[in-house]
Amino acid sequence: MSISEKPDNHNGSFRTTRWSIVLAAGATPNLESTDSLQVLCESYWYPLYAYARRTGHSAHDAEDRTQEFFANLLDHNFLDRASPERGRFRAFLLTAFKRFLATSFQREQALKRGGGRRVISLNSDEAEARLALDPASTSTPERVFEREWALSLLNRVLEMLRNEYSNRDRAFVFEKLKESLLGSEPKDYEALALATNMTAGAVRVTVHRLRQRYGELLRQEIEHTILDDDDFEGEYSSLLNALRSDR
Amino acid sequence: MSKMEECPKCGSQLTPDAPLGMCPVCLLQQGVDRIPKPGGNHAVVDGKFVPPTIERLNEIFHNSNF
């Protein structure tokens, strides 16, 4: 059975993730695998940039190296290599990037091939501002990568959720109720009702739906970076450890 | 809503890069707790209706004393 034909545990149909589509295509990409890889790269470039910076590259160099790496990756280089870390996009990306940085020949080749191509919308000013906020400056580059990956994932899910509310002209509802995503029960439903122009009962239902939708989006996003549902628990534990490690 | 400095859920100190100013550990834990279990719909497992827990009912219908 190929990767993309694995039965879906949820409803008996066949289920694919972005990463499984990319790996199934291997070195012979198609439109779907290229689109999937592009989305993954756009979503998770920052952890690699942070890794490059923490390994001593200047901001300019880190930006160049990250772009070069993604140019190669989007040409589907590296994807035909069988290796154990391929089950998770996160682990694959870090291992491939380390090899890329360490191998000067490969880097030179990439420069020739990529020719300074800009394949990812990478805002280095924004990245530097974000890097300055990172409290774990004494962590190893690997731990910085893992932590930034987990934060990127959460930020992406929250952004998707906020966009869903914005698209229905309910961004203010999201802003008022977002803290309920932490799991604490809101202290004052009446005040929230007043602030959101809803009844207290409607606020309760909205909080419930907000949490449910957040859970769905979070699961989807984690699943898109692994091969199948079987590895969900392992990836979840890794994300949690990465966030707890600097406490 | 003002930016939190301490997580109201777990009490840990929040870092400046906390997502939307919220504790990332609690966000991840609570989000995964909310994730629908295999089978998709909580209310139907193996074709049989599964009633929601008292905790979940109280959560949805706050102060209703189920």
Side-chain angles (χ1 to χ4, degrees):
Chain A
M1 183 179 287
S2 73
I3 292 160
S4 60
E5 290 173 333
K6 188 177 175 66
D8 180 2
N9 289 337
H10 292 258
N11 55 22
S13 64
F14 295 109
R15 186 182 180 84
T16 55
T17 70
R18 286 200 186 101
W19 184 225
S20 72
I21 290 168
V22 173
L23 282 185
T28 52
N30 53 50
L31 193 60
E32 192 183 18
S33 68
T34 303
D35 283 350
S36 295
L37 187 57
Q38 181 82 36
V39 171
L40 286 171
C41 293
E42 293 279 0
S43 306
Y44 297 105
W45 63 266
Y46 177 73
L48 281 190
Y49 177 90
Y51 176 85
R53 291 286 283 123
R54 293 296 183 223
T55 50
H57 292 82
S58 67
H60 180 73
D61 198 30
E63 182 182 353
D64 279 353
R65 292 289 169 260
T66 307
Q67 288 284 5
E68 288 160 21
F69 174 75
F70 280 125
N72 271 262
L73 191 59
L74 289 166
D75 284 342
H76 284 66
N77 294 329
F78 321 131
L79 287 168
D80 53 345
R81 290 177 189 164
S83 52
E85 71 274 3
R86 279 161 52 102
R88 298 179 190 176
F89 181 60
R90 176 176 52 78
F92 163 82
L93 206 60
L94 182 58
T95 303
F97 192 55
K98 278 181 178 177
R99 280 196 206 115
F100 180 76
L101 290 178
T103 314
S104 58
F105 171 75
Q106 198 174 33
R107 193 163 64 236
E108 285 164 14
Q109 290 297 99
L111 271 173
K112 285 176 193 167
R113 275 199 301 272
R117 269 194 291 159
R118 294 288 180 261
V119 294
I120 298 293
S121 66
L122 190 163
N123 183 333
S124 59
D125 291 340
E126 186 184 304
E128 284 300 302
R130 195 168 157 185
L131 201 66
L133 295 177
D134 175 18
S137 55
T138 56
S139 292
T140 64
E142 285 80 8
R143 280 175 61 175
V144 169
F145 171 84
E146 302 289 350
R147 182 176 183 278
E148 293 302 337
W149 181 282
L151 290 176
S152 293
L153 185 136
L154 287 172
N155 278 317
R156 182 169 160 76
V157 171
L158 290 171
E159 190 184 337
M160 286 190 284
L161 189 59
R162 179 160 58 184
N163 285 342
E164 288 187 359
Y165 278 77
S166 296
N167 292 341
R168 286 179 280 144
D169 294 326
R170 286 164 66 85
F172 69 100
V173 172
F174 175 82
E175 290 303 321
K176 293 292 178 190
L177 303 184
K178 67 185 180 192
E179 282 179 26
S180 66
L181 297 176
L182 293 169
S184 304
E185 209 50 43
K187 286 181 184 134
D188 192 344
Y189 273 106
E190 294 299 333
L192 285 174
L194 206 60
T196 54
N197 201 22
M198 289 192 282
T199 64
V203 171
R204 286 182 197 110
V205 173
T206 305
V207 164
H208 174 70
R209 288 179 179 160
L210 180 75
R211 289 167 166 170
Q212 286 294 114
R213 183 63 185 144
Y214 170 68
E216 289 167 8
L217 290 172
L218 184 64
R219 180 173 191 105
Q220 271 175 30
E221 191 58 25
I222 294 173
E223 283 182 344
H224 274 311
T225 68
I226 57 179
L227 273 183
D228 52 50
D229 289 350
D230 296 344
D231 200 27
F232 182 85
E233 288 298 326
E235 182 63 3
Y236 168 63
S237 297
S238 298
L239 294 170
L240 207 50
N241 287 338
L243 292 172
R244 283 174 167 159
S245 64
D246 59 318
R247 291 191 162 189
Chain B
M1 200 169 277
S2 62
K3 199 170 183 177
M4 293 177 278
E5 292 179 355
E6 197 175 82
C7 175
K9 178 79 177 174
C10 70
S12 66
Q13 204 70 25
L14 295 179
T15 55
D17 57 356
L20 299 184
M22 296 189 283
C23 172
V25 172
C26 289
L27 275 174
L28 187 61
Q29 281 178 323
Q30 292 302 316
V32 169
D33 284 349
R34 302 276 161 187
I35 287 171
K37 301 288 185 290
N41 188 339
H42 284 289
V44 180
V45 175
D46 295 333
K48 295 175 185 170
F49 173 72
V50 178
T53 63
I54 297 296
E55 290 76 20
R56 180 50 59 92
L57 285 173
N58 276 324
E59 182 183 273
I60 300 170
F61 304 101
H62 194 60
N63 293 335
S64 297
N65 293 319
F66 284 100

